[in-house]
Each structure stands twice: as C-alpha cells, then as structure tokens.
C-alpha cells in the first residue's frame, strides 16, 4: 500500500518526468515530504507564476510535458495566468494544485479556492481527485490528454486527505477515454483534393502556424515546399517550424509581420494552411484576407477549421502525419504544370520583400533596439533559443532573429503575458543545458517576474537577459503616439531600478551598455558566463516604433511602413 | 438564425454540466433551454440543448462540444427525423364563467387539468415547441398567472439510438 502522495510521485516517474517546478504550502506538505526522498529534480521558483511559466518554457524547448505544483488558495490562483498562457498557445502541461480536505470543500476553509471552477475556461481538461484509488489512472489520462491532439494544460486538484489516504499502486496499461480520441491521420480523399487544387494554382501560399512546431513537421514541410515550389509564410508562433533562412521562406504575417508575407496572403489563388488558427493578429481584417483564394486547412483541432475563415478543404489530422501522407501522393501530380507561373509568383514575393524588408536606421549613433537583436543573432550564429517578453521587444525579436528549427522561439503569442519570457527562459535552459538561451526583454516586462533571478542564481542557470531599455512601456507609447495624439498616458518608466546593481544584488552578473560599439562585445562576454544568469541593460532609442504595422481591424492595404 | 436542438451524450462526471454551460456563456452562444438526466447507463447522462444561431455558429458549438473530454457524442437532431417534446405547467385565471371555455381549449390541445380553485386552474400540457407556443397564445386573454416549462427533450425516430444516427 502507498499513500496518494507516493502514488503521485511514482506515476510521475512512470510518465518520465524528471523536472518539476513547484512551491509548497500547507495542504501539499504530504506531497513535499514524499518528494524529499524522490530523485525527480524539483526547482523552487520564487513565485508560482514564475514556476508555471518556467514549466511551459521547459515544455516548449524540449517538446515534453511541463509539470508544476502550487498549493491551495493563493498558490493555485497564482498559477492562473500561466495556465491561460499555455492554453492559448496549446502547450502540453500538467498542473497540480493543492486543495483542502474533501470534508472541508465548500465551507470556505483556510486557503480554499475553487481552482477547478476558476480555471475551467482555460484548461484542456481538469480533474478533482476524490478517490485515492484513481490517482494513477487520472495522472496517466492527464498526461495523455495534455500531449495528444491539440496539446494544452490539464489541471489536477489534489485534496489533502486523498494524498494521505492509502491504496495499491497500479499503473494502468493504457488510457480508456470514450469521449476523447483525436484524429491523427488525415482523410486521404481530402488530401488528394488539396493536392489537386494546389497543382492547378498559379499563386499558392503555405500559411503555417504553431501546430507545425508542436508536431515537429518541419522536415516534411521543407520537402513539401521544395517539391511543389510553394512559398511559405508563418504565423508569429510558427517561427522555427520552417527554416528562416530557406529560400522559400517569406517571413511572418500579421500586425508586425513583413510586407511580403502580408502581400502574399492578400491575393493568392490558393492557401494551404497548416496548424494555425487564423488569429486576428495574423489575418488582420478578414475581408481583406485572401478574398479570392480557395483554402485548404490541415489541423488536429476540428474546431479551428472554418472558425474564423471559411475553408474549402478541411483536413483533420496531425500536421506531421498528414504531410507525410501528402508526400506519399505527391508524385502522382504534375508540379511542372504551373512551374513558370509559380516562379513568377515567387519572384513577385521576393520583389515585395526587397521593396520593404524588416529594416531600421543602421546609421544611427545611438543603440537601436533592432541592432541588439541582430547582434545577438550574429554572435550566437542563429543557434540560440530565444524567449521574449511582450511588447516591442517581442516583435523585434521575431523580426531580427532567424529561426531554423522548431522549439527555438518561445514567446507568449495568444495571451501576450508580460513577465513570461524570463521564467520561460529559465525552464528552457534547464531543459536544454547545451543551448544558449536568451530572453529578449523590455524594461517593463522584466520587472513582472524579477524574483526569478534568485531561482536562476540558486540553480546556476546561465540564461542571458537582454533588456531593450527604452524607459517606456514601449508598445503602449507606440499606440499612444500613433493613435492617441501623443497623449502618453502612464507609459513612462523614467523611474526604474539600476538593473546592473539589481542583478548583482541577486548574485547574477549585470552589464550596462550605452554605446553602440559596445553591444557586440557585451553579447560575446555574456556567452563566457556559464554558471549564473546575466542581465544586459541596453540603453536603446526611446522613441523607436515597430514597423511595419497593420493597425488593429485594418487590412493589408492600410499597412504603415517605416519612413525611409 | 435557426432554432437547433442538440443532443449531447456525456460521461456522468464531476463538473460536466458546468463545462458545458460555461462553454456556451464563455463563447457567447445562446441557450434557449437545457435539460439533463441520467440514461439507462448510470455512468452516462444525456443533455438536450436548444440554441439559436446561424449554421456557422451551430457548427462551432457542435465542434466545441465534441472537444470536451467528457462529451461522448453530439448530434444535431434538428437535422434528422426526430420527435421533440416539452412539458409545461400553466396556472391560468378561470372563474365559473370562463372555466368551460378554458376546459374546451385544454381538451383540444390534449392537455390535462391538474388543479382547480375558484379563481384558477393548473394545466399540464406536453408537445413540441410550436404547439406549446400556440397554446400559451390562446390562453393569454384569460390571464396567465404562471408558467413553468421543462425545456425540450428530443429523440430520433427509428430503431437506432439517437447518438448512433446519421
Ligand atoms: C501582464 C500584462 N499587462 C499589460 C500588458 C499590456 N502591454 C502590452 S505591451 C506593454 C508594454 C511593455 O513594456 P516593455 O516590457 O518595456 O516592452 P517594450 O514595448 O518597451 O519593448 C504593455 C503594458 C500585457 N501585455 N501584459
Ligand atoms: Mg520598454
């Protein structure tokens, strides 16, 4: 016989979990007592929000399921932002929350919160464990649900008495879920229909999203694009799913995506969408989005198909599996048929890109934030894992770093959570210790989870934080500048800590970089530090705006470009 | 905008009802009526949900319902040959003078009078939505005091289970 807590830890081992981020509390003391004897690595963040984002960063960098713990009440509510974040970006997570004893539930006991109710709209699924006998089966189901189909967070609420009760440990052979059976392989007839339409298209585009990264369909997609000669545009979260340096890669579309990508989707004759949900930040105003195109859509989530845009050829299935099937049929079609029209089309796209590439004033004497990102790209030879905060820093990271592999770019896309990047970077580095991991940060965002410096120092996590310090909530300033007549309401961050001293106070390395000529050297120096986090405080142009920009609710034709 | 009756077979597990009602409120779908009860299988419940929306919205509702882990089957019964019923209990003003008229109407609609006082009667009526509405319409001039409705339940015609029907 084992206690519920022991069964829990055994089950985690069975699932291959080797790293947990967690913060203890009253109702979790039994679980923590069991962890004391376990060989699973447990990292103590300094705030539960830091823990849940770190678990997500770990999941995104490794492709595994992220695991975290928080105690009942405030511990659990502190996890809410992280759960919502994972839900919006479809990241596999299993989140354990402590709960008061079942006999006390509903009585407003000390540190009681209805976390299952609170998180209901932001989880893929959730469980309240009420019977110790079910512990192993519930955990196995939770991991299965989190990682299969369209991935997402699963919450398991652990009442104190259930964790103390005893049962026999029996690891179920397989999960048995009548109502859950995601489709993996696509319908072959639909796949052929898609290929036939693509064969006949003269101006086709592949529009790929985060689903390609999640299913690691990158190699299949490269093959597919090369054989068919179809250019690829990505959503923001798709970055890395197709090599950024490949000649068929056009860029990313959306509010701050490049001109060529947005033009490419404004009037193609065919779109093959893969693993993307047609978010408003990507498509802009829907009536301006490919009005004359036939659209085929591969997605593992049937509800993502025809949600925002009407789809001619829906193909439900895992991106990698479906692309494999398509590659199996591809020889039966004639890809030379429209080869010259397609070449012309690709040249048109290249011309658009030449006309308006991602750009900035390279002659400026002060440090341009884009220059910092570009330098990091150069110095790391494009190999680093890049996390971002939210705001201008995030957009510049996407614009000036080229990503060549899945899991290389980690950013809060759907929810846009300031304070996400730094803990996510800690999780990513713990998952991929051999990779350099950067957090491209804003001076506003970085303060939202600054306490995690302690976590990084304690665990010798050598992440590099590049603060693009504009002493502004820069993205807010940009909108107030462009759409609110320069009425800069509460976006000025003139008062801020000395980030160098602050890093040092935590036991990390701090650097301040005020001069353009010092940027590259600082980044190089930071790479030499292997046992501690590094904060680089770059004093950048305060008034730089992110371009291009398609204002919210506008279409591509209203795109604002950088003044030359 | 059309009225759709959706039949949802669910596992009888912790929080299922709130997951479903929450899905409707969170995504801004409307619920005209919802009824839930056990099936012959103790672990399974059936819900009948009546909603109003255009085809795209209803398609999304069905897809979103299917995504829920505890949902076993979803059928838009409006799209198939089916029988739909709801029950109402109506309390209507009826004096000695108007009572014969009221009784007449009730029997025409195949309702039942289940309580009588000097000023009122309580009527029980079962039927499809249009019949219920027609009845309430006719009763209106007599003075309806109170109406309680069950909301619709629906079943497919033929020998197959509704959830198995195409
Ligand atoms: C938690 C949270 N609060 C508020 C916002 C709204 N918001 C989006 S960007 C931004 C400014 C971010 O400032 P900073 O981190 O300095 O980045 P910058 O835009 O200057 O690069 C704000 C407040 C948000 N995305 N997340
Ligand atoms: Mg800033």
């Amino acid at each position: 016989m084992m206690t519920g807590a022991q069964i829990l830890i055994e089950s985690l081992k069975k699932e291959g979990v080797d790293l947990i981020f967690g913060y203890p509390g009253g109702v979790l003391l039994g679980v923590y007592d069991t962890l004391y004897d376990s060989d699973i690595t447990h990292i103590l963040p300094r705030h539960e929000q830091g823990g849940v984002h770190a678990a997500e960063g770990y999941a995104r960098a490794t492709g595994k399921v992220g695991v975290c713990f928080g105690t009942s009440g405030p511990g659990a509510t502190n996890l809410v932002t992280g759960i919502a974040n994972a839900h919006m970006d479809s990241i596999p997570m299993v989140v354990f929350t402590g709960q008061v004893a079942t006999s006390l539930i509903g009585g407003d006991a000390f540190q009681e919160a209805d976390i299952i109710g609170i998180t209901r709209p932001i989880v893929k699924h959730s469980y309240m464990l009420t019977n110790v006998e079910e512990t192993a089966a519930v955990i196995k189901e939770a991991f299965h649900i989190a990682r299969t189909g369209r991935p997402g967070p699963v919450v398991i609420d652990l009442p104190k008495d259930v964790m103390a009760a005893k049962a026999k440990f029996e690891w179920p052979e397989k999960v048995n879920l009548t109502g859950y059976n995601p489709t993996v392989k696509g319908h072959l007839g639909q796949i052929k229909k898609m290929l036939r339409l693509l064969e006949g298209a003269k101006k086709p585009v592949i529009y790929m999203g985060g689903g390609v990264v999640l299913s690691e369909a990158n190699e299949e997609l490269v093959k597919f694009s090369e054989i068919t000669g179809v250019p690829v545009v990505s959503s923001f979260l798709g970055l890395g799913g197709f090599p950024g340096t490949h000649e068929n890669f056009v860029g990313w579309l959306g509010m701050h995506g490049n001109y060529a990508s947005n033009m490419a989707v404004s009037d193609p004759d065919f779109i093959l969408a893969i693993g993307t949900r047609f978010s408003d930040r990507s498509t802009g105003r829907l009536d301006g989005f490919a009005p004359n195109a036939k659209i085929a859509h591969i997605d593992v989530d049937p509800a993502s198909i025809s949600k925002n845009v009407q789809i001619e050829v829906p193909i439900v299935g895992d991106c990698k599996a479906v692309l494999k099937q398509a590659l199996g049929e591809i020889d039966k079609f004639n890809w030379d048929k429209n080869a010259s029209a397609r070449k012309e089309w690709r040249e048109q796209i290249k011309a658009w890109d030449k006309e308006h590439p991602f750009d900035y004033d390279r002659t400026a004497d002060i440090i341009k934030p884009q220059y910092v990102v570009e330098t990091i790209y150069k110095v790391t030879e494009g190999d680093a894992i890049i996390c971002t905060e939210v705001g201008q820093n995030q957009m510049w990271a996407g614009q000036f770093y080229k990503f060549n592999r899945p899991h290389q770019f980690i950013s809060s896309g759907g929810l846009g959570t300031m304070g996400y990047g730094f803990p996510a970077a800690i999780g990513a580095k713990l998952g991929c210790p051999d990779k350099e991991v950067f957090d491209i940060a804003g001076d506003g965002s970085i303060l939202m989870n600054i306490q995690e410096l302690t976590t990084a120092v304690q665990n010798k996590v050598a992440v590099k934080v590049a603060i693009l310090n504009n002493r502004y909530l820069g993205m807010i300033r940009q909108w107030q500048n462009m759409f609110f007549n320069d009425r800069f309401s509460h976006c000025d961050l003139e008062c801020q800590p000395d980030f160098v001293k602050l890093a040092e106070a935590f036991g990390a390395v701090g650097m301040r970089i005020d001069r353009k000529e010092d940027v590259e050297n600082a980044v190089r120096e930071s790479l030499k530090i292997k046992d501690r986090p590094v904060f680089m405080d770059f004093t950048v142009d305060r008034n730089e705006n992110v371009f291009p920009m398609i204002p919210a609710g506008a279409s591509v034709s209203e795109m604002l470009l950088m003044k030359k | 905008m059309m009225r759709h009756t959706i039949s949802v077979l669910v596992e009888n597990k912790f929080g299922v009802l709130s997951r479903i009602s929450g899905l409707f409120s969170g995504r801004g779908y409307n619920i005209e009526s919802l009824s839930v009860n056990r099936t012959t299988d103790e672990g399974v419940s059936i819900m009948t949900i009546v909603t109003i929306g255009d085809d795209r919205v209803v398609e999304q509702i069905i897809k979103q319902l299917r995504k829920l882990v505890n949902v076993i089957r979803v059928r838009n019964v409006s799209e198939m040959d089916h029988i739909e019923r709801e029950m109402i209990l109506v309390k209507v003003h009826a004096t000695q003078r108007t009572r014969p008229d009221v009784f007449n109407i009730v029997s025409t609609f195949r309702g039942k009078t289940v309580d009588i006082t000097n000023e009122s009667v309580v009527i029980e009526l079962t039927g499809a939505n249009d019949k219920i509405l027609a009845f309430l319409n006719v009763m209106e001039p007599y003075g309806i005091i109170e109406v309680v409705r069950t909301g619709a339940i629906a079943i497919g015609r033929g020998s197959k289970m509704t959830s198995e029907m195409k």
Side-chain angles (χ1 to χ4, degrees):
Chain A
M1 297 288 264
M2 286 186 181
T3 63
Q6 286 168 327
I7 296 175
L8 164 69
I9 303 300
E10 280 312 304
S11 303
L12 292 179
K13 283 193 208 157
K14 289 275 187 200
E15 281 294 337
V17 174
D18 46 20
L19 186 64
I20 296 171
F21 298 87
Y23 211 101
V27 298
L28 278 185
L29 286 173
V31 172
Y32 271 78
D33 190 61
T34 313
L35 263 175
Y36 193 66
D37 300 320
S38 144
D39 43 18
I40 297 180
T41 308
H42 176 280
I43 302 281
L44 181 77
R46 292 308 191 264
H47 186 298
E48 286 88 353
Q49 189 188 356
V52 64
H53 289 330
E56 194 192 313
Y58 172 85
R60 286 170 95 145
T62 61
K64 294 193 230 169
V65 179
V67 180
C68 72
F69 278 80
T71 192
S72 66
T77 55
N78 274 349
L79 296 171
V80 169
T81 303
I83 297 167
N85 199 82
H87 182 66
M88 286 292 263
D89 289 350
S90 309
I91 307 303
M93 304 258 288
V94 176
V95 176
F96 293 93
T97 51
Q99 184 54 278
V100 301
T102 44
S103 58
L104 299 178
I105 289 178
D108 297 328
F110 177 63
Q111 292 193 331
E112 181 187 357
D114 173 14
I115 199 65
I116 296 295
I118 291 169
T119 58
R120 203 220 77 244
I122 53 168
V123 295
K124 183 165 175 189
H125 194 51
S126 51
Y127 294 91
M128 158 81 84
L129 200 60
T130 48
N131 176 357
V132 65
E133 315 266 347
E134 291 170 1
T135 308
V138 161
I139 292 172
K140 193 176 173 87
E141 276 179 28
F143 276 82
H144 175 73
I145 291 168
R147 75 161 81 83
T148 54
R150 177 175 176 178
V154 178
V155 169
I156 305 181
D157 207 15
L158 307 169
K160 187 178 164 198
D161 55 323
V162 179
M163 287 294 94
K166 290 195 163 161
K168 227 175 103 198
F169 176 65
E170 272 172 302
W171 188 241
E173 295 268 295
K174 54 178 191 199
V175 289
N176 192 7
L177 288 162
T178 26
Y180 179 80
N181 196 7
T183 310
V184 177
K185 279 200 158 180
H187 186 283
L188 204 58
Q190 291 290 90
I191 293 173
K192 287 185 187 158
K193 193 168 162 198
M194 174 273 286
L195 288 168
R196 209 169 306 120
L197 286 171
L198 185 61
E199 182 188 44
K202 297 197 165 95
K203 298 193 298 177
V205 173
I206 291 170
Y207 157 34
M208 56 153 285
V212 173
V213 172
L214 291 165
S215 80
E216 297 173 351
N218 46 311
E219 281 174 24
E220 289 77 9
L221 186 55
V222 168
K223 251 191 222 157
F224 188 87
S225 159
E226 286 176 355
I227 296 171
T228 57
V230 180
V232 177
V233 303
S234 176
S235 72
F236 187 66
L237 283 193
L239 287 174
F242 191 87
T245 51
H246 193 287
E247 65 161 343
N248 285 2
F249 189 65
V250 185
W252 52 283
L253 77 175
M255 186 171 272
H256 293 295
N258 63 331
Y259 179 72
S261 293
N262 284 308
M263 291 303 285
V265 295
S266 69
D267 196 23
D269 58 355
F270 182 76
I271 293 182
L272 171 57
I274 310 177
T276 186
R277 60 187 174 87
F278 292 79
S279 93
D280 57 308
R281 278 293 185 270
S282 286
T283 60
R285 223 176 62 205
L286 283 173
D287 55 9
F289 185 83
N292 302 310
K294 289 213 155 51
I295 308 180
H297 187 181
I298 303 170
D299 207 290
V300 76
D301 175 13
S304 282
I305 299 178
S306 292
K307 183 174 66 182
N308 300 334
V309 171
Q310 203 54 43
I311 302 298
E312 261 79 32
V313 191
I315 304 172
V316 179
D318 172 69
C319 299
K320 191 184 179 87
V322 173
L323 280 171
K324 272 204 169 117
Q325 288 175 285
L327 286 170
E329 300 295 318
I330 209 156
D331 290 343
K332 298 177 188 154
F333 295 82
N334 178 3
W335 302 107
D336 293 332
K337 198 162 123 193
N338 286 315
S340 73
R342 275 184 200 191
K343 188 150 173 276
E344 226 169 88
W345 170 234
R346 287 196 305 271
E347 272 158 17
Q348 165 73 75
I349 291 173
K350 289 236 155 69
W352 280 327
D353 200 38
K354 249 205 166 124
E355 216 177 313
H356 300 288
F358 285 136
D359 206 2
Y360 65 96
D361 179 7
R362 285 161 209 273
T363 62
D365 292 329
I366 45 173
I367 305 177
K368 290 284 181 178
Q370 300 93 328
Y371 175 69
V372 177
V373 179
E374 221 170 47
T375 306
I376 294 171
Y377 177 65
K378 185 175 124 191
V379 171
T380 58
E381 295 170 354
D383 187 59
I385 292 173
I386 301 294
C387 303
T388 79
E389 298 296 339
V390 168
Q392 295 182 312
N393 59 84
Q394 180 182 30
M395 296 300 115
W396 287 320
Q399 291 184 340
F400 291 92
Y401 203 102
K402 292 191 184 74
F403 302 95
N404 276 330
R405 58 171 197 274
H407 308 304
Q408 197 188 352
F409 179 57
I410 298 176
S411 188
S412 169
L415 200 64
T417 309
M418 289 173 70
Y420 171 78
F422 181 39
I426 294 173
K429 181 72 180 168
L430 285 164
C432 303
D434 299 334
K435 291 287 176 199
E436 293 298 346
V437 179
F438 277 74
D439 175 34
I440 310 272
D443 47 311
S445 302
I446 194 63
L447 282 177
M448 286 209 177
N449 273 312
I450 194 75
Q451 75 287 345
E452 298 312 323
L453 259 169
T454 301
T455 316
V457 169
Q458 180 187 358
N459 296 287
K460 300 189 167 45
V461 184
V463 291
K464 326 293 182 212
V465 177
I467 305 172
L468 308 181
N469 193 339
N470 49 17
R471 285 177 291 130
Y472 270 128
L473 296 171
M475 191 56 97
I476 303 295
R477 197 211 93 258
Q478 173 164 351
W479 283 58
Q480 291 173 342
N481 165 242
M482 295 171 79
F483 311 118
F484 292 89
N485 284 322
D486 281 347
R487 288 160 54 84
F488 296 123
S489 180
H490 304 284
C491 67
D492 199 320
L493 299 180
E494 199 64 69
C495 177
Q496 57 180 209
D498 179 331
F499 284 109
V500 174
K501 281 193 193 150
L502 182 137
E504 286 167 0
F506 275 97
V509 176
M511 306 178 187
R512 174 163 304 107
I513 304 96
D514 298 316
R515 298 185 314 171
K516 193 177 176 182
E517 53 270 35
D518 296 337
V519 170
E520 182 170 338
N521 201 33
V523 177
R524 286 196 192 284
E525 281 305 306
S526 80
L527 294 186
K528 292 182 187 154
I529 295 155
K530 306 284 185 198
D531 60 346
R532 269 168 298 169
V534 182
F535 262 45
M536 287 171 275
D537 182 11
F538 293 98
T539 309
V540 301
D541 186 350
R542 288 198 84 191
N543 296 310
E544 189 70 12
N545 282 344
V546 182
F547 286 112
M549 176 171 194
I550 303 173
S555 59
V556 184
S557 54
E558 296 156 84
M559 191 187 308
L560 306 167
L561 296 156
M562 200 183 77
K563 291 186 195 76
K564 289 206 178 168
Chain B
M1 298 287 257
M2 270 247 310
R3 184 175 178 276
H4 291 262
T5 306
I6 299 168
S7 162
V8 189
L9 210 59
V10 299
E11 286 180 289
N12 198 358
K13 288 218 167 129
F14 174 84
V16 188
L17 180 59
S18 76
R19 282 182 215 275
I20 290 188
S21 61
L23 182 106
F24 276 76
S25 62
R27 292 190 180 263
Y29 307 144
N30 115 323
I31 296 185
E32 282 285 298
S33 74
L34 174 126
S35 80
V36 200
N37 227 312
R38 293 270 172 90
T39 62
T40 46
D41 178 347
E42 221 188 283
V44 176
S45 290
I46 190 154
M47 298 189 180
T48 308
I49 303 173
V50 178
T51 184
I52 290 178
D54 59 30
D55 288 353
R56 251 191 63 191
V57 170
V58 173
E59 188 188 325
Q60 259 301 308
I61 291 176
I62 290 173
K63 284 175 169 176
Q64 292 293 347
L65 284 169
R66 286 191 176 134
K67 263 176 88 164
L68 296 175
V69 172
N70 296 139
V71 168
I72 302 167
R73 283 273 159 72
V74 185
R75 284 286 178 272
N76 186 349
V77 284
S78 313
E79 286 176 348
M80 52 202 212
D81 201 3
H82 73 286
I83 300 153
E84 192 173 317
R85 293 286 180 273
E86 58 184 292
M87 188 177 107
I88 52 169
L89 294 169
V90 199
K91 195 175 286 176
V92 187
H93 275 293
T95 55
Q96 235 170 358
R97 197 170 55 78
T98 55
R99 216 180 272 151
D101 283 0
V102 170
F103 284 172
N104 235 333
I105 297 167
V106 170
S107 88
T108 310
F109 277 86
R110 290 170 214 278
K112 261 197 269 173
T113 309
V114 287
D115 186 41
I116 304 183
T117 68
N118 284 335
E119 293 93 44
S120 70
V121 292
V122 174
I123 302 146
E124 173 194 319
L125 183 77
T126 319
N129 188 255
D130 48 357
K131 174 176 161 185
I132 303 279
L133 292 180
F135 178 73
L136 289 174
N137 213 11
V138 179
M139 276 297 137
E140 186 73 50
Y142 297 93
I144 295 174
I145 301 164
E146 191 177 6
V147 184
V148 183
R149 296 166 71 159
T150 57
I153 52 172
I155 197 164
R157 287 189 192 270
S159 54
K160 275 198 180 143
M161 288 243 308
T162 307
S163 61
E164 311 278 303
M165 289 171 68
K166 282 271 147 55

